[in-house]
Amino acid sequence: MTRTIKNKSVPFFEIQWLEEVAAQVICTHFKQEGHENHWWQIPMPELAESDSVYAGIVREWNLGQFERVLLALAMAPHLQPEALDIFYGINLKTDRIFSEFGGITDKGFNGFLPTGQTLLFLLSANEPEWRLRAMELFNPRHRLMAEQVISLESIDPNLPRLSGLLKLSEQWLHYFLTGDEVKPELSTSFPAHALTTPLTWSDLVLDYPVMMQVEEIRTWLAHGPTLMEDWGLARKVKPGYRAAFYGPPGTGKTLTAALLAQSTGREVYRVDLSMIVSKYIGETEKNLSRVFDAAAYKDWILFFDEADALFGKRTVASTANDRHANQQTGYLLQKIEDFPGTVILATNLKANMDEAFARRFQAMIHFSMPSADLRLQLWQNAFRDTCELGEDIDLVQVAEDYELSGGAIINVLRNCALTAISQERRHVTKQELLTAIRAELRKEGRTI
């Protein structure tokens, strides 16, 4: 008999089903009355007609009984902690809880916190051959793990992995209950955040040769799957596309990455290198793996800014730290090479990059300082519909006289706009413009 759920309380019905599953597993495990029955026979709540977000995810991702037990177990401490009280049974032989139940107790929470071992017990205690299948749920490439819905948080790296706390993302729980869209949040467990821009492709001002190279990346984003699958390119080249942007700050590297995503209906995630690099061996690799796995599922573009901090030249391994750094670089090279999506690295100085990267990248694009003609276009775009320029301001001459990047020109606009609005006007004088330009030049150690 199935139970059809039509309202938005689906997670609570899932936990009720979990209680029945847990009771039957324990009954079977200890050969209690009714042990001949099997938890697999307990009908799951029927979600086919439910309009809840949770039900939609179950259907869209084709989640089965194993995945739904996992999700219900992870939700229970948040929504119905008493559902897990059944695991507090005492083993009379040892005078403590049963080892096979797993679980953690915490002084700040008066309830049972499930671990990976708890899930393994539920799914395979009475069917040992199911153990490997159950452990696949913790594979980083499994969708629930890759999408950052579930994580296995280790308390001590010296303990068995399955003793780690089974954790449900707060963002996904909120999504299941309210329907508010979920985006991964920047954290040590997910060191990346979405990169967006209010500008459009028409606002991108680059030299023609540079724009042609950027257009090649956009073409790949639009037609890459067709080339790989229908044209058979997958038999001859590695998956994905790798590009390096190098050049002075403010020349459009980050903006270009954001616009490539925007113009092709994708998201671009900027990887925070400061949160990736860890002094603990293996942690850097684990943090990066989370990002790459999620990006592969979502077809994101990954953007590494100031990439030479992590992708820099390898050194002679004279110390343990050198060997660790070289190991990280090698790992990153391999992850990038195997990644089926698009990776963009940005750096101010190409010379700082490890030479091995050049052989693995389809594009190495130099973002140089804009020419006078391009600077004029940048000045015009910046001030259009924002500030009114004084009649004595000749933008053609300004563009000719002052070598500034697009980012620096936007900073000049900001300073001028602040000065104007503080005096309750939109008009910008020539003196104010020159003062703002001088301020930008001083940042770079230049004067006029």
Side-chain angles (χ1 to χ4, degrees):
M1 177 180 175
T2 59
R3 294 165 288 181
T4 302
I5 310 298
K6 295 184 179 180
N7 56 46
K8 295 194 175 183
S9 299
V10 168
F12 295 94
F13 285 94
E14 293 282 279
I15 294 172
Q16 290 176 20
W17 169 66
L18 172 70
E19 287 187 89
E20 297 178 37
V21 168
Q24 183 59 58
V25 171
I26 290 175
C27 172
T28 304
H29 184 63
F30 293 113
K31 299 295 188 290
Q32 298 168 349
E33 184 179 353
H35 68 85
E36 65 278 2
N37 297 321
H38 199 293
W39 76 266
W40 189 263
Q41 299 168 325
I42 300 174
M44 296 182 290
E46 177 56 60
L47 305 181
E49 298 182 30
S50 172
D51 62 353
S52 76
V53 167
Y54 181 89
I57 289 291
V58 169
R59 291 193 297 265
E60 180 186 348
W61 293 1
N62 194 29
L63 301 181
Q65 284 172 283
F66 275 33
E67 286 88 359
R68 287 174 67 173
V69 169
L70 166 57
L71 286 173
L73 185 63
M75 289 189 293
H78 299 271
L79 304 180
Q80 205 170 321
E82 67 274 16
L84 303 182
D85 285 352
I86 193 171
F87 292 111
Y88 277 127
I90 298 296
N91 187 333
L92 298 180
K93 294 181 179 180
T94 61
D95 199 31
R96 58 183 176 82
I97 64 173
F98 292 89
S99 301
E100 59 265 45
F101 290 175
I104 295 173
T105 56
D106 188 276
K107 62 182 180 181
F109 178 74
N110 188 27
F112 181 91
L113 295 171
T115 61
Q117 178 57 43
T118 311
L119 179 70
L120 217 61
F121 171 77
L122 285 174
L123 299 181
S124 63
N126 303 314
E127 297 286 353
E129 64 271 22
W130 288 5
R131 188 176 180 87
L132 290 179
R133 180 181 168 192
M135 291 181 70
E136 273 300 306
L137 296 175
F138 299 120
N139 187 317
R141 294 187 179 277
H142 189 285
R143 187 149 194 176
L144 291 176
M145 298 288 282
E147 296 273 11
Q148 311 296 310
V149 182
I150 297 292
S151 60
L152 201 56
E153 301 294 329
S154 175
I155 295 177
D156 186 330
N158 295 315
L159 295 178
R161 180 168 181 254
L162 289 177
S163 68
L165 180 66
L166 188 64
K167 186 176 179 182
L168 174 69
S169 159
E170 292 285 351
Q171 291 75 37
W172 277 100
L173 177 62
H174 181 71
Y175 182 51
F176 291 153
L177 296 177
T178 68
D180 291 343
E181 187 177 359
V182 175
K183 282 187 179 293
E185 291 192 354
L186 181 67
S187 66
T188 53
S189 63
F190 191 82
H193 63 279
L195 181 63
T196 60
T197 177
L199 301 179
T200 64
W201 194 257
S202 61
D203 295 308
L204 189 59
V205 178
L206 298 172
D207 282 324
Y208 180 79
V210 175
M211 183 60 86
M212 288 301 97
Q213 289 180 286
V214 172
E215 282 285 0
E216 182 179 311
I217 301 175
R218 192 157 72 139
T219 300
W220 173 266
L221 289 168
H223 303 292
T226 301
L227 290 171
M228 295 295 284
E229 297 165 15
D230 298 347
W231 288 39
L233 215 60
R235 299 194 304 270
K236 301 177 181 180
V237 300
K238 280 195 171 282
Y241 196 98
R242 294 158 286 279
F245 295 172
Y246 65 97
T251 49
K253 300 184 293 294
T254 301
L255 175 61
T256 299
L259 290 175
L260 279 168
Q262 181 196 93
S263 66
T264 56
R266 287 172 173 77
E267 290 186 274
V268 57
Y269 270 72
R270 181 175 185 168
V271 181
D272 190 316
L273 299 178
S274 66
M275 299 188 78
I276 282 181
V277 180
S278 171
K279 63 182 178 180
Y280 299 107
I281 295 176
E283 285 298 307
T284 293
E285 290 82 352
K286 185 170 70 174
N287 293 343
L288 269 173
S289 186
R290 290 192 184 103
V291 176
F292 276 103
D293 290 340
Y297 268 112
K298 293 288 193 179
D299 196 21
W300 292 335
I301 296 172
L302 290 182
F303 180 68
F304 292 83
D305 199 6
E306 300 180 1
D308 47 314
L310 193 57
F311 297 83
K313 290 184 175 181
R314 283 173 279 192
T315 60
V316 176
S318 57
T319 67
N321 286 339
D322 290 339
R323 287 191 293 273
H324 183 208
N326 290 344
Q327 179 183 348
Q328 289 179 345
T329 300
Y331 174 82
L332 290 168
L333 280 167
Q334 193 60 53
K335 289 296 288 186
I336 287 176
E337 196 163 15
D338 294 340
F339 182 60
T342 301
V343 176
I344 298 174
L345 273 58
T347 178
N348 295 336
L349 295 172
K350 180 184 177 184
N352 290 345
M353 299 292 289
D354 192 298
E355 293 179 3
F357 282 97
R359 297 191 298 272
R360 290 168 167 85
F361 278 64
Q362 281 71 51
M364 301 284 290
I365 304 178
H366 181 212
F367 286 72
S368 59
M369 290 292 286
S371 64
D373 289 341
L374 291 181
R375 290 199 295 271
L376 175 60
Q377 189 176 343
L378 289 166
W379 280 112
Q380 291 169 338
N381 290 351
F383 281 87
R384 185 182 299 121
D385 301 325
T386 302
C387 296
E388 300 171 4
L389 295 173
E391 294 182 359
D392 57 342
I393 295 177
D394 182 357
L395 281 184
V396 174
Q397 192 63 49
V398 170
E400 184 70 37
D401 291 345
Y402 306 110
E403 187 183 30
L404 293 171
S405 67
I409 289 172
I410 292 298
N411 287 339
V412 170
L413 166 66
R414 183 183 292 109
N415 288 339
C416 289
L418 286 172
T419 300
I421 200 170
S422 67
Q423 299 179 26
E424 299 183 350
R425 56 181 170 84
R426 297 182 73 103
H427 181 78
V428 174
T429 68
K430 184 175 182 178
Q431 186 57 46
E432 290 166 350
L433 180 65
L434 293 177
T435 298
I437 290 174
R438 290 190 187 98
E440 282 303 305
L441 292 173
R442 279 197 298 270
K443 290 180 186 177
E444 302 173 12
R446 296 186 290 162
T447 58
I448 59 173

